[in-house]
Amino acid sequence: VENADGIEGVCSVLHAEATRVVSKLPPYIPEKNNGKNVDVYYAVPITFVLPGGGKKKSEVFTVLSTCDVEPKYPGGDDAMEKVFSGIILPTDKTGARLQGQCSVGFVVDTNGKVNGLKIVQSAGNKIDSSALAVVSKLDQFKPALLAGKKVSAYLLVKFNFRNYTPPVIGTTSY
């Protein structure tokens, strides 16, 4: 793990603690591209929870921002799964489905609009493009709340293209 830093934090003390903890993670198995080890950008969600918390979280996306109430997609996780079921699975020159994992990060602003789509973990241009295309179809969210006020929230959706099967919706991979 190199160059650990927070994407967004509540205060400098929590930001510093999250950065300290991530910096101490053991070595990862490196990602590969064309058989060679490559550096990747990886987001580790860290949530500091006050006693008495424990609200139900989305199983489709991870919120990497501090909020009391997560952004809500109209129709919930089931509606998001319907959007994701329209993903076009990338293929190579022979027509075989490509394999890999990628993560798409984006911001849901205080008006509930999706902004700043970005590949956080890349699996190559074709897979990344398919994931970005399907996430860009997400429309209006109900914005996140912190202390009763609307706040922007950074979300992360992980896609897993493996074993030549369509992405599976679950808590950790799609």
Side-chain angles (χ1 to χ4, degrees):
V1 175
E2 296 176 343
N3 303 319
D5 195 14
I7 295 172
E8 186 172 324
V10 178
C11 69
S12 60
V13 173
L14 294 180
H15 180 96
E17 178 60 9
T19 301
R20 183 190 72 77
V21 169
V22 170
S23 296
K24 292 185 176 271
L25 288 172
Y28 280 67
I29 296 171
E31 292 286 331
K32 295 195 181 286
N33 187 4
N34 295 324
K36 295 181 182 177
N37 292 351
V38 295
D39 292 340
V40 295
Y41 180 82
Y42 190 77
V44 178
I46 298 178
T47 305
F48 294 92
V49 179
L50 296 173
K55 298 178 174 82
K56 184 179 182 314
K57 303 285 185 187
S58 170
E59 294 181 4
V60 177
F61 59 84
T62 303
V63 179
L64 299 178
S65 299
T66 300
C67 53
D68 297 327
V69 178
E70 289 185 351
K72 300 278 188 254
Y73 190 73
D77 286 355
D78 290 340
M80 285 185 79
E81 288 177 8
K82 286 181 184 175
V83 172
F84 292 162
S85 69
I87 197 165
I88 298 171
L89 301 174
T91 58
D92 65 16
K93 292 177 183 177
T94 68
R97 290 189 184 145
L98 296 174
Q99 297 185 60
Q101 297 180 91
C102 73
S103 297
V104 178
F106 59 96
V107 173
V108 173
D109 69 17
T110 58
N111 295 316
K113 300 270 187 213
V114 173
N115 295 297
L117 289 173
K118 178 181 176 183
I119 294 295
V120 176
Q121 178 185 3
S122 177
N125 288 338
K126 285 187 174 185
I127 291 174
D128 294 351
S129 294
S130 292
L132 283 171
V134 73
V135 173
S136 70
K137 293 180 181 179
L138 296 176
D139 48 16
Q140 191 75 27
F141 278 74
K142 184 176 179 183
L145 300 174
L146 179 61
K149 295 184 180 182
K150 294 179 183 179
V151 293
S152 295
Y154 188 81
L155 279 59
L156 184 71
V157 179
K158 296 180 182 180
F159 292 88
N160 186 0
F161 299 88
R162 294 215 182 263
N163 301 324
Y164 302 100
T165 59
V168 176
I169 302 297
T171 57
T172 58
S173 62
Y174 307 95

